[in-house]
Amino acid sequence: MSNLDRSFWTGLSVRVPDPSTIVQVGALCLRVIDGEQQVLLVKSSRGRWIVPKGWPMDGHTDAQTAKLEAWEEAGVDKARVTKAPIGGYMTEKRYDDGRRVPCQVSVYRIDVKSMVDSYPEAAFRKRNWMSLKKAAKKVNDTGLKALLKALA
């Protein structure tokens, strides 16, 4: 089995790691409104609130991949991304066939400057800005919840 696949949206090669060592890249999209820091959450395909995330992509740094995921899943158009992850968390990757595999998500901070309404996953992803505190209450994933609480 090859460890390369193609991103449905960009056509770029993406690394698909061995199921025993799943890793993903997450985008913690932030903005400041009236002095309050807000985070952008998106609904997963299973209806859970999450940060945009996906597989590492060959030919791209993980920071670049985080920015691409923020574009594909949330319409983040112009933004500045950190070169190194600001944190991470453990979760489970849930597959359509019922498998659940441990997954380490490395999270990159993305300071959002502008967004667009037309983006690859706009038809089936809801997005919402909220305070870090409210976001920590909305997410079900305990690892992501802990990360958001630590940043709040």
Side-chain angles (χ1 to χ4, degrees):
M1 181 170 112
S2 171
N3 69 342
L4 290 181
D5 199 354
R6 292 226 174 259
S7 166
F8 178 77
W9 302 111
T10 64
L12 300 171
S13 294
V14 295
R15 287 180 303 219
V16 180
D18 181 89
S20 65
T21 58
I22 295 284
V23 294
Q24 286 194 310
V25 177
L28 186 74
C29 301
L30 298 170
R31 71 178 184 183
V32 176
I33 298 292
D34 296 329
E36 179 186 49
Q37 193 169 49
Q38 296 181 334
V39 63
L40 181 64
L41 295 183
V42 297
K43 282 271 184 139
S44 73
S45 58
R46 295 182 179 1
R48 298 174 298 122
W49 286 107
I50 61 170
V51 295
K53 63 183 176 65
W55 303 111
M57 295 182 189
D58 280 350
H60 290 80
T61 66
D62 285 350
Q64 291 168 330
T65 298
K67 194 171 179 183
L68 278 170
E69 291 298 332
W71 155 249
E72 290 177 2
E73 295 183 10
V76 172
D77 184 37
K78 294 181 183 171
R80 186 178 58 222
V81 61
T82 58
K83 291 181 182 180
I86 62 161
Y89 63 96
M90 288 297 299
T91 188
E92 283 185 328
K93 175 66 178 167
R94 299 173 187 180
Y95 291 95
D96 291 339
D97 64 7
R99 286 180 298 138
R100 292 180 173 207
V101 179
C103 177
Q104 171 66 43
V105 181
S106 295
V107 178
Y108 289 79
R109 178 186 173 123
I110 297 183
D111 293 308
V112 178
K113 296 178 182 177
S114 68
M115 296 178 61
V116 295
D117 291 329
S118 179
Y119 53 97
E121 298 185 21
F124 48 89
R125 284 228 195 245
K126 184 177 178 180
R127 62 185 183 180
N128 198 6
W129 286 102
M130 60 190 79
S131 71
L132 287 163
K133 194 173 189 176
K134 183 177 179 183
K137 291 178 183 176
K138 286 266 189 193
V139 299
N140 293 330
D141 188 287
T142 56
L144 179 55
K145 184 182 290 285
L147 178 65
L148 293 169
K149 282 182 177 180
L151 294 170

